[in-house]
């Protein structure tokens, strides 16, 4: 499942021509300011909790890495996912998006890793004292917490965000990989644009959003409330 997830996201990333194309794809389904605000907080919550899940799944136990802010640990699918996001964003938008976003995805990664390792060490210590012959590598508490965060983040985006405010299906219904690839940078750029950073990209994205919306409304019918304006 983890391999399939990584392949889907990687293939979707390769389809985007450039940063404007990636942002406009996601922007079509996120035109309302209140929905954008919900995603500004919801998308990071989804990415972080997903990294917590993936940090439980080793890619190679034989390969250990040491990074600032986290104990030495095995390479997991969270490692590959975080590295993939950073590399992809640096490729399509080196500055300001890629460089400014990299510390955030790195922070998500090391906090996820630290939580998983702390939980694992605590559980191993507990079982060593009580039942040395049994090795339990997770208490399940961290997974439960991440699952709650993940569920709530999806809920507030899909129900209030899309069904009520936006009047449009989530971008993930059009492209699972495309949505997961573009969403974090789109949400991040909402913050950058609010601060007045890279506003020309905002205008270019708006123009392409209008173009993509017209094409969708014309070819596939009224998929969203915005189609009423075209």
């Amino acid at each position: 499942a983890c391999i399939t997830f990584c392949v889907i996201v990687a293939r979707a990333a390769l389809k985007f021509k450039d940063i404007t194309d990636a942002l406009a794809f996601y922007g079509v389904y996120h035109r309302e300011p209140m929905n954008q605000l919900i995603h500004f907080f919801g998308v990071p919550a989804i990415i972080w909790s997903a990294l917590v899940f993936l940090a439980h799944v080793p890619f190679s136990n034989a390969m250990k890495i040491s990074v600032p802010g986290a104990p030495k640990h095995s390479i997991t699918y969270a490692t590959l996912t975080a590295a993939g996001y950073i590399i992809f964003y640096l490729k399509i938008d080196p500055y300001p998006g890629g460089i400014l976003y990299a510390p955030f995805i790195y922070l998500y990664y090391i906090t996820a890793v630290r939580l998983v390792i702390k939980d694992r060490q605590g559980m191993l210590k507990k079982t060593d004292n009580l039942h040395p012959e049994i090795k339990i590598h997770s208490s399940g508490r961290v997974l439960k917490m991440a699952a709650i965060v993940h569920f709530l983040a999806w809920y507030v985006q899909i129900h209030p965000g899309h069904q009520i405010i936006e009047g449009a299906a989530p971008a993930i219904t059009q492209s699972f990989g495309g949505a997961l690839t573009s969403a974090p940078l789109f949400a991040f750029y909402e913050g950058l644009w609010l601060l007045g950073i890279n506003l020309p990209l905002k205008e270019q994205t708006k123009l392409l959003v209008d173009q993509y919306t017209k094409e969708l409304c014309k070819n596939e019918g009224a998929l969203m409330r915005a189609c009423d304006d075209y």
Side-chain angles (χ1 to χ4, degrees), residues 85-107:
Y85 272 118
I86 291 172
I87 292 170
F88 174 61
Y89 290 158
L90 286 173
K91 177 179 178 294
I92 65 169
D93 185 36
Y95 182 81
I99 288 177
L100 294 181
Y101 182 73
F104 287 90
I105 193 70
Y106 182 75
L107 180 63

Side-chain angles (χ1 to χ4, degrees), residues 7-190:
V7 169
I8 289 174
V9 172
R11 288 181 63 182
L14 294 174
K15 291 182 180 179
F16 289 124
K17 303 182 188 74
D18 51 34
I19 179 62
T20 311
D21 186 35
L23 295 178
F25 161 76
Y26 201 73
V28 167
Y29 305 92
H30 305 85
R31 306 165 67 95
E32 294 291 336
M34 184 55 68
N35 191 29
Q36 293 170 358
L37 179 63
I38 289 173
H39 283 68
F40 180 76
F41 294 100
V43 171
I46 288 173
I47 297 301
W48 177 80
S49 55
L51 289 175
V52 173
F53 299 146
L54 295 172
H56 284 81
V57 187
F59 177 75
S60 173
N61 284 320
M63 300 174 65
K64 304 282 186 179
I65 59 172
S66 296
V67 297
K72 189 174 183 179
H73 56 280
S74 300
I75 294 178
T76 65
Y77 280 93
T79 314
L80 301 183
T81 301
Y85 272 118
I86 291 172
I87 292 170
F88 174 61
Y89 290 158
L90 286 173
K91 177 179 178 294
I92 65 169
D93 185 36
Y95 182 81
I99 288 177
L100 294 181
Y101 182 73
F104 287 90
I105 193 70
Y106 182 75
L107 180 63
Y108 303 158
Y109 173 71
I110 62 172
T111 53
V113 168
R114 286 174 66 91
L115 271 177
V116 172
I117 291 177
K118 183 178 179 180
D119 179 64
R120 184 169 295 164
Q121 290 175 340
M123 203 60 200
L124 287 173
K125 184 177 179 180
K126 183 177 180 180
T127 55
D128 281 345
N129 291 336
L130 299 176
H131 304 285
E133 72 282 2
I134 300 175
K135 299 296 182 184
I136 301 176
H137 296 282
S138 173
S139 69
R141 286 191 295 269
V142 171
L143 282 171
K144 289 177 184 177
M145 178 186 65
I148 291 171
V149 171
H150 203 74
F151 171 79
L152 289 176
W154 276 112
Y155 172 76
V156 296
Q157 289 183 116
I158 292 174
H159 186 214
H162 283 281
Q163 292 187 3
I164 298 175
I165 298 170
E166 192 77 40
I172 203 167
T173 61
Q174 293 297 310
S175 172
F176 177 78
L180 292 179
T181 303
S182 58
L185 195 57
F186 181 89
F188 184 65
Y189 253 115
E190 287 297 332

